[in-house]
Amino acid sequence: MTEQHSHQFERGTDGPKVIVAGVDGSDSSLRAAAYAGGLARRQHALLAVVYVQPVLAAGAALGAPVAETTDEIAEDLVAQIRDAAERLKGVFEVRWEFHTFRGDPYNGLVQAADELKADAVVVGASEQAGHRIVGSVAIRLVKAGRWPVTVVP
């Protein structure tokens, strides 16, 4: 008599396939992207670099400069990542994509992780005061309990 095993595959059992790194231009977020790049390289995973563009109420924006500024930040981040990827070409190969979502950082990263089918999320530790009251994006992601979250100082 032969024994048959039915194998049911779980997400994440063979290592992550998609690693989302949240970036906002801060030093800790750029360190998080570099750390996530190393994870992606070692795991042969796709690195999805995500920038969440803040959306402000029309009255608060006082015109279009805010939207233009966040577009410039996104373009600058893409240029920095391309530059880093180019410098490492031939030494380390990492498959990566850049995505921009709109909204507040927490909801934007949740949407990104869901849509990109993330197996892991990497973010930088908050560099802002006041997060002790509201809670940092990293803590909120951990509490969501939907993906492994790595917080890089």
Side-chain angles (χ1 to χ4, degrees):
M1 204 185 243
T2 61
E3 194 176 313
Q4 284 189 322
H5 296 281
S6 75
H7 291 288
Q8 187 173 6
F9 290 98
E10 291 181 25
R11 262 178 47 172
T13 54
D14 294 330
K17 297 294 175 221
V18 178
I19 299 172
V20 166
V23 295
D24 61 8
S26 67
D27 288 344
S28 68
S29 78
L30 296 176
R31 286 191 296 271
Y35 181 86
L39 289 175
R41 177 182 56 80
R42 289 187 295 279
Q43 297 287 338
H44 306 289
L46 172 67
L47 172 62
V49 179
V50 174
Y51 169 61
V52 180
Q53 283 188 301
V55 176
L56 299 177
L62 300 173
V66 172
E68 290 171 14
T69 300
T70 60
D71 286 342
E72 287 172 19
I73 291 169
E75 289 168 19
D76 185 49
L77 288 169
V78 170
Q80 287 181 51
I81 294 161
R82 275 206 182 101
D83 185 47
E86 202 56 41
R87 282 195 313 266
L88 295 174
K89 206 170 198 163
V91 180
F92 298 120
E93 295 297 325
V94 177
R95 290 181 306 125
W96 66 277
E97 301 173 346
F98 185 85
H99 299 271
T100 301
F101 287 79
R102 291 189 179 273
D104 68 274
Y106 170 75
N107 287 310
L109 284 171
V110 167
Q111 180 186 359
D114 283 345
E115 287 184 19
L116 299 169
K117 297 185 177 16
D119 295 298
V121 178
V122 180
V123 292
S126 173
E127 295 179 354
Q128 295 178 354
H131 279 167
R132 290 184 196 105
I133 300 163
V134 179
S136 71
V137 172
I139 289 171
R140 292 174 67 196
L141 288 168
V142 169
K143 286 183 176 178
R146 294 166 57 185
W147 325 266
V149 177
T150 302
V151 183
V152 177

